[in-house]
Amino acid sequence: MEVEHESKREDDEHETLTLDPLSNQFANLNDLCFEFTSLQDLAFRGSWRSILDKIARARKLSLLQKPHEDLIYLAYSVLALTKLHRYTEAAEELDSMLDFDSPRYRYESYPEIYPNRCGSMVPFAIRWLNAEIPLKLGRRQESLDRLYVLLDFVRVRLRERESRGSELGFCVDVWRKREAFVVYSIASHHLSNKEFVVCLELIQGLVRQDSANAELLSRLGYVQVQVGDLEGAKSTFGEVERLMKEGNLGENEFRNLVGRNKALVYLIGKDYVSAVREYDECIERDPTDVVAINNKALCLMYLRDLSDSIKVLESALERVPTFALNEAIVVNLCSMYELAFVNHSEIKRTLSNWIARVAPDDFDSSSTRV
């Protein structure tokens, strides 16, 4: 059974382009890149095969007129191949770039196309995917080495922008988010290998820079739970609740963050009734909170109420399939079917057939264990 935390998800791989409305020269995303909104829409829907078809057509018909457009399409190609578990092809796409720091990938090399612009045009997503893909090919240490190099790269760029003061405030925020994203990626690799001390040091380093970040503090609490430091986790989660009570966090999103933190402590302490109560409040505030939905179902199962636990997950798949259709929920639901029904194979086959009709291209169909 899989308990969900606020961990780094694969959805994070798709880096949405955010434009500064006060300083950006583009009226819309399609001004930035050929049919960019179409690429984004297909990615949000999980239509990764359609993305590859679109990219192949654009390349064949020479529809990409500027160097940066080729790089944006390459980023989506690598991401789509990765989502479809075609890791060798993704690595080959990246290898075609040779050197990310080559002059051919800098704006100032094309003054007639990009007047008064300088710097690298390589999307951050490409740099991150280049670090992650070796892991998918069984080369864990190479992936970790590349991630640490990427972290150094991000921190150098962050310091450069911080040194220029408020004029680059928007850019500073973007690079801080990138720093946190890379740290989370590194921490997740160490966590999966049970290298807990390194995880704690990485997250604590971020907390020292931004001690009022509720999501960051919560992630620290989850790592503390993993290493068995329940008292430390309670203290960290208490700090998140204090931030909310002081008025810094009033939206339902943050109230649910506090609620899930409380529920996790109850769950670890085997107080499943209290955990269900907290998760119920989260779901009432936000019916798409799949972490609360999944973990409520697990708590009901631990309370030997298999019937209701199954109903919780089935209802979520029916009501909010876009949010609830993920491998963790499907694995847990199928495990519950196996415990509850003699004819579980037939029930799982029905679920598998429904998933085949509605799931995104990258959904792992083996999670139904038919």
Side-chain angles (χ1 to χ4, degrees):
M1 294 293 180
E2 298 187 22
V3 176
E4 287 196 27
H5 307 315
E6 321 302 307
S7 57
K8 177 185 74 64
R9 292 185 165 191
E10 285 206 328
D11 289 344
D12 293 334
E13 294 169 12
H14 176 217
E15 182 192 59
T16 306
L17 181 69
T18 304
L19 303 180
D20 181 359
L22 298 180
S23 63
N24 201 282
Q25 62 180 304
F26 303 108
N28 59 61
L29 292 178
N30 286 334
D31 288 341
L32 171 69
C33 179
F34 175 74
E35 294 189 354
F36 189 64
T37 54
S38 175
L39 281 176
Q40 283 203 317
D41 181 59
L42 290 170
F44 285 134
R45 287 188 287 152
S47 300
W48 303 108
R49 294 187 183 90
S50 296
I51 284 178
L52 291 177
D53 290 342
K54 184 178 183 66
I55 291 170
R57 176 178 175 273
R59 288 171 171 174
K60 181 179 180 180
L61 299 178
S62 301
L63 299 176
L64 307 178
Q65 301 297 315
K66 299 178 180 179
H68 80 275
E69 292 183 321
D70 285 312
L71 290 174
I72 290 174
Y73 269 63
L74 186 142
Y76 272 94
S77 177
V78 174
L79 177 57
L81 290 167
T82 303
K83 287 287 192 177
L84 296 171
H85 309 289
R86 293 160 59 178
Y87 304 123
T88 300
E89 293 172 74
E92 289 171 354
E93 278 267 40
L94 288 169
D95 288 344
S96 70
M97 292 184 64
L98 299 178
D99 179 10
F100 291 171
D101 297 322
S102 168
R104 65 188 287 208
Y105 302 130
R106 297 189 66 82
Y107 289 111
E108 58 265 34
S109 298
Y110 310 90
E112 69 284 358
I113 302 176
Y114 310 107
N116 304 318
R117 298 195 70 180
C118 63
S120 174
M121 63 178 77
V122 177
F124 176 74
I126 285 182
R127 297 181 185 274
W128 178 75
L129 286 165
N130 183 61
E132 283 284 351
I133 286 174
L135 178 73
K136 308 295 186 181
L137 295 170
R139 305 197 298 267
R140 176 180 180 269
Q141 190 56 52
E142 181 181 346
S143 194
L144 268 178
D145 290 344
R146 289 186 181 185
L147 282 168
Y148 276 106
V149 169
L150 179 58
L151 182 59
D152 289 340
F153 170 85
V154 169
R155 285 175 169 167
V156 168
R157 298 301 181 278
L158 178 57
R159 285 195 295 270
E160 289 174 353
R161 283 148 182 80
E162 287 176 332
S163 67
R164 294 175 62 179
S166 59
E167 64 177 287
L168 290 177
F170 174 76
C171 289
V172 168
D173 289 342
V174 169
W175 284 95
R176 280 179 181 159
K177 289 177 181 177
R178 288 173 175 173
E179 179 189 27
F181 182 74
V182 176
V183 168
Y184 295 153
S185 296
I186 295 171
S188 70
H189 289 310
H190 286 301
L191 193 61
S192 66
N193 214 43
K194 298 185 178 181
E195 295 164 351
F196 300 122
V197 174
V198 182
C199 279
L200 281 172
E201 290 175 349
L202 285 165
I203 303 297
Q204 286 169 341
L206 288 178
V207 169
R208 282 192 291 271
Q209 298 175 45
D210 189 4
S211 59
N213 186 321
E215 181 182 350
L216 182 54
L217 285 167
S218 295
R219 287 177 186 258
L220 174 60
Y222 305 143
V223 176
Q224 289 171 316
V225 167
Q226 292 278 350
V227 302
D229 183 10
L230 189 55
E231 291 306 312
K234 287 179 180 178
S235 175
T236 301
F237 292 151
E239 182 64 17
V240 176
E241 188 171 7
R242 183 188 65 78
L243 289 172
M244 186 187 73
K245 288 179 178 178
E246 287 181 352
N248 296 331
L249 308 173
E251 299 297 327
N252 284 345
E253 175 186 356
F254 296 111
R255 292 184 180 277
N256 275 25
L257 182 62
V258 170
R260 291 193 299 268
N261 291 346
K262 287 182 177 179
L264 181 60
V265 172
Y266 286 134
L267 194 157
I268 298 300
K270 299 184 179 181
D271 184 355
Y272 303 123
V273 173
S274 297
V276 167
R277 183 183 66 246
E278 292 292 342
Y279 287 132
D280 273 334
E281 292 179 5
C282 291
I283 296 166
E284 184 176 345
R285 282 189 293 263
D286 178 9
T288 67
D289 188 336
V290 292
V291 175
I293 291 166
N294 180 75
N295 291 358
K296 174 189 174 182
L298 289 182
C299 289
L300 290 170
M301 186 192 68
Y302 295 145
L303 289 167
R304 301 183 182 181
D305 189 352
L306 266 177
S307 176
D308 277 356
S309 66
I310 289 172
K311 287 178 183 177
V312 167
L313 297 186
E314 288 181 334
S315 174
L317 288 171
E318 182 180 345
R319 288 183 300 103
V320 288
T322 303
F323 298 92
L325 187 53
N326 68 57
E327 286 84 351
I329 282 184
V330 171
V331 164
N332 286 341
L333 179 58
C334 289
S335 297
M336 293 170 189
Y337 284 154
E338 291 166 5
L339 291 171
F341 302 113
V342 174
N343 63 333
H344 57 78
S345 294
E346 182 179 337
I347 297 171
K348 289 192 295 181
R349 191 169 291 108
T350 300
L351 175 64
S352 182
N353 291 338
W354 175 79
I355 288 173
R357 293 196 305 271
V358 303
D361 292 344
D362 57 316
F363 188 85
D364 184 0
S365 59
S366 68
S367 59
T368 58
R369 300 204 299 270
V370 173

